Amino acid sequence: MSYTLECCIDSTESAIAAERGGANRLEMCGNLIIGGTSPSLALFHEVRRNTNITINVLLRPRFGDFLYTDHEMAILREEVIMFREAGADGVVIGCLDENGHLDVPKMEMLLKERGNMKVTLHRAFDVSVDPFETLEICKDLGINTILTSGQKNNVLAGADLVAQLVEKADGKVDIMAGAGVNAAVIAKMLETIPLKSFHMSGKVTLDSGMKFRKEGVNMGLESLSEFDIWQTKEENVREARKVLEEGRKRWETA
């Protein structure tokens, strides 16, 4: 297949919808509402039982920056081993030093445990100090994919940098566009950039089935409703796949 449509999910329901819509890879995580953290092994097993596509697992010990303590690195290393042994197809990782450079010793610690898994550098890339330096380090480390919005809040705003990265990657690292991706964004990006990989959630906000709702009690941030459920919508993924297939055909026959 000449393209990758990856869907980030944090539930089995979303994973099933993503596959039905035509995604050919999942990025599994927990807590998408805060950008994603490491998922549970139980979620991995349940998604594996109910889907038949590639599963990459996001490993991120907490919300926030990517400057990790020794304890956090110990957790990440154990998670790489755990998901490798569970049969994950890939891991999605990233560590920076205090000056915004990719932390090579910490990355090497995790890569040592990868086995046969593919590795994606997640959007730690987008807050690194020098994207071109980071790209070259990824080549040297043997990282397979970089997920990026072009160092902007959404990938359309970062399209110029994404185009430069695709050129400079020279096929050695797959540049995967993410952040704000939907069918319309894919169509726009493919007008000028020969991308073959996109990352999306395809999410909609569903209302909880709870009839009794206790007011004035928050389990987390007061700005977030306990009764909003994020879930991938099959139709959103299907529309994106259709546009991606059409756009890739144009590039391949050009």
Side-chain angles (χ1 to χ4, degrees), residues 44-92:
F44 175 82
H45 288 314
E46 184 67 8
V47 170
R48 182 64 93 191
R49 283 190 289 265
N50 286 277
T51 62
N52 294 292
I53 57 176
T54 300
I55 302 175
N56 288 356
V57 181
L58 173 75
L59 301 180
R60 186 180 177 215
R62 55 166 171 77
F63 170 78
D65 64 35
F66 305 103
L67 179 64
Y68 294 130
T69 67
D70 289 344
H71 293 300
E72 289 169 333
M73 288 305 301
I75 292 168
L76 285 169
R77 178 179 176 274
E78 186 169 337
E79 287 180 329
V80 172
I81 295 169
M82 178 176 71
F83 282 105
R84 183 194 72 210
E85 292 177 345
D89 299 292
V91 287
V92 184

Side-chain angles (χ1 to χ4, degrees):
M1 189 172 291
S2 62
Y3 65 84
T4 297
L5 181 59
E6 179 179 272
C7 200
C8 55
I9 59 93
D10 61 2
S11 70
T12 308
E13 290 81 3
S14 286
I16 292 169
E19 182 178 33
R20 287 177 176 171
N24 52 18
R25 190 165 76 198
L26 301 174
E27 182 196 78
M28 178 186 300
C29 60
N31 301 304
L32 266 177
I33 200 164
I34 54 171
T37 55
S38 301
S40 71
L41 193 58
L43 176 60
F44 175 82
H45 288 314
E46 184 67 8
V47 170
R48 182 64 93 191
R49 283 190 289 265
N50 286 277
T51 62
N52 294 292
I53 57 176
T54 300
I55 302 175
N56 288 356
V57 181
L58 173 75
L59 301 180
R60 186 180 177 215
R62 55 166 171 77
F63 170 78
D65 64 35
F66 305 103
L67 179 64
Y68 294 130
T69 67
D70 289 344
H71 293 300
E72 289 169 333
M73 288 305 301
I75 292 168
L76 285 169
R77 178 179 176 274
E78 186 169 337
E79 287 180 329
V80 172
I81 295 169
M82 178 176 71
F83 282 105
R84 183 194 72 210
E85 292 177 345
D89 299 292
V91 287
V92 184
I93 57 177
C95 310
L96 300 179
D97 67 22
E98 63 184 4
N99 295 309
H101 299 281
L102 200 63
D103 194 320
V104 174
K106 287 180 178 178
M107 291 297 294
E108 288 178 334
M109 178 197 304
L110 301 180
L111 290 168
K112 184 179 178 181
E113 306 297 348
R114 70 189 289 183
N116 294 322
M117 294 189 296
K118 302 291 187 182
V119 175
T120 297
L121 173 62
H122 57 44
R123 291 187 65 212
F125 178 89
D126 283 327
V127 291
S128 66
V129 65
D130 185 336
F132 300 112
E133 174 195 74
T134 305
L135 170 61
E136 294 306 314
I137 294 172
C138 286
K139 291 179 185 178
D140 293 339
L141 290 175
I143 288 172
N144 304 96
T145 302
I146 293 172
L147 170 61
T148 180
S149 62
Q151 297 204 325
K152 300 292 185 181
N153 276 336
N154 68 79
V155 76
L156 276 183
D160 288 345
L161 177 57
V162 171
Q164 294 177 65
L165 291 167
V166 170
E167 181 179 358
K168 291 181 181 298
D170 194 28
K172 295 180 176 66
V173 180
D174 183 31
I175 302 300
M176 179 167 59
V181 168
N182 56 30
V185 168
I186 292 173
K188 182 67 174 176
M189 298 286 286
L190 287 177
E191 288 178 3
T192 56
I193 308 172
L195 284 158
K196 65 177 184 179
S197 298
F198 287 88
H199 170 96
M200 67 182 298
S201 68
K203 68 179 181 295
V204 293
T205 303
L206 304 178
D207 190 39
S208 166
M210 287 292 297
K211 290 184 169 51
F212 172 74
R213 301 189 179 192
K214 184 71 173 180
E215 299 298 331
V217 179
N218 292 90
M219 298 296 111
L221 296 174
E222 291 186 12
S223 60
L224 302 177
S225 170
E226 310 297 341
F227 305 105
D228 287 346
I229 299 172
W230 284 13
Q231 192 166 302
T232 298
K233 185 175 181 180
E234 180 180 334
E235 291 79 4
N236 290 347
V237 181
R238 183 173 293 110
E239 290 173 7
R241 173 168 175 154
K242 180 180 178 182
V243 169
L244 180 51
E245 287 179 339
E246 293 170 351
R248 286 302 302 169
K249 285 177 184 176
R250 289 195 300 273
W251 277 106
E252 288 161 6
T253 57

